[in-house]
Amino acid sequence: MAMAALRRGGRRMAAPLISPHPVNSLSSSLASSEVLNSVSLVQAVQFNYCASEVDRSQNMGYPPAVSVLVFLLNSYANATNASMTKLILSIKKVINFYGYTRYVYLAILSVDVKKNVIVAISSDKGLCGGINSTAVKISRGLHKLNSGPEKECKYVILGEKAKVQLVRDSKKEIELSITELQKNPLNYTQVAVLADDILKNVEFDALRIVFNKFHSVVSFVPTTSTVLSPEVVEREAEAGGKLGELDSYEIEGGETKSEVLQNLSEFQFSCVLFNAVLENACSEQGARMSAMDSSSRNAGDMLDRLTLTYNRTRQASITTELIEIISGASALEG
Amino acid sequence: MASNAAVPFWRAAGMTYITYSNLCANLVRQCLKEPHRSEALNREKVHFSISKWAEGKPKKPSRFLCSFL
């Protein structure tokens, strides 16, 4: 077990692309575990590893799903139950996979594939300004970019607003539409089940997720995240280039590379989808706030203007009446 | 640990990795004590309604509503 922990730590430290964050406390604690080599000390090492993972994950902006797993792990790192330890080890493997994932994510932007599926994320409720329209515009643009003689492009739509807009011209291209996502507060399990459904129902080479990234309360940038299917990743890895360097990772345990890639690709999809849904929800709230604020201000301005006009007109009519009465009276006297 | 040739048991049973990890997370959540347990189980509620489209027409939507498994 100590050797496994050491090897894991070694692989993490040898990968330059993953993290510039030095893990000095980890190496010293690993050295001491080699010397003593008792079960509780190894678990303490794993606990330190988890704690440093939490720090690293905060720094690297891991999706909340991975941080949640790490947090749950921390609560049970000192369990002595054998099955619990096994469960923890399998979860830790997931967290190790994430470094692998980030590498894949960075290298996939310029891959040309045959079957694209565009996942467009929008809101169910209205009154949120222009963010849904921008998301739909980007989806349409991507669709045009990706359709050609051999290529195929389909839509998966989350949310009512995008569905309404895309039904107008791309009815035949829609595969799935999902609504009522925000009835309960968003959580990872819901998005994971959704991702599972999408994976089961849709064939794809590459998934392009279109959403609004939250920049600040007034600025939302429409972005695209791409997730490749495991077959395409393998193909690109054979072909060389950036993804070919995936082979420099050592895969421990009894799994083959294609198995790892498949697990990884599924988990990556659900994590990236969760990130996208959360960012879109944030952008929706911000956009709604600024849209409502500007409409209140416009309504207030209009109210002021109309009040002035009303008062002026009223005073003018009173003045006219007074003038008529006075002139009438003076005509009688004179 | 699975051998090199065989698929892990859950993939042979038709589950994806996502379902497997959600099940594991569910197990861990159920190990908690109150009050953290109810808070954690609250974070597991799933609700959405999905409808498949065929030839430009949506089929009847199926509502997916469960506290996970």
Side-chain angles (χ1 to χ4, degrees), chain B residues 5-39:
Chain B
V7 245
F9 62 94
W10 41 270
R11 201 172 274 285
M15 282 205 264
T16 57
Y17 184 75
I18 303 175
T19 330
Y20 175 56
S21 63
N22 275 338
L23 276 171
C24 295
N26 189 23
L27 284 174
V28 176
R29 284 191 186 109
Q30 284 174 359
C31 297
L32 296 171
K33 283 202 264 200
E34 297 292 341
H36 304 287
R37 183 190 173 138
S38 38
E39 285 172 13

Side-chain angles (χ1 to χ4, degrees), chain A residues 191-211:
Chain A
V191 177
V193 175
L194 181 61
D196 194 34
D197 263 354
I198 294 180
L199 279 174
K200 287 205 173 116
N201 286 323
V202 171
E203 278 191 31
F204 62 94
D205 280 339
L207 280 164
R208 318 247 173 212
I209 306 177
V210 177
F211 62 101

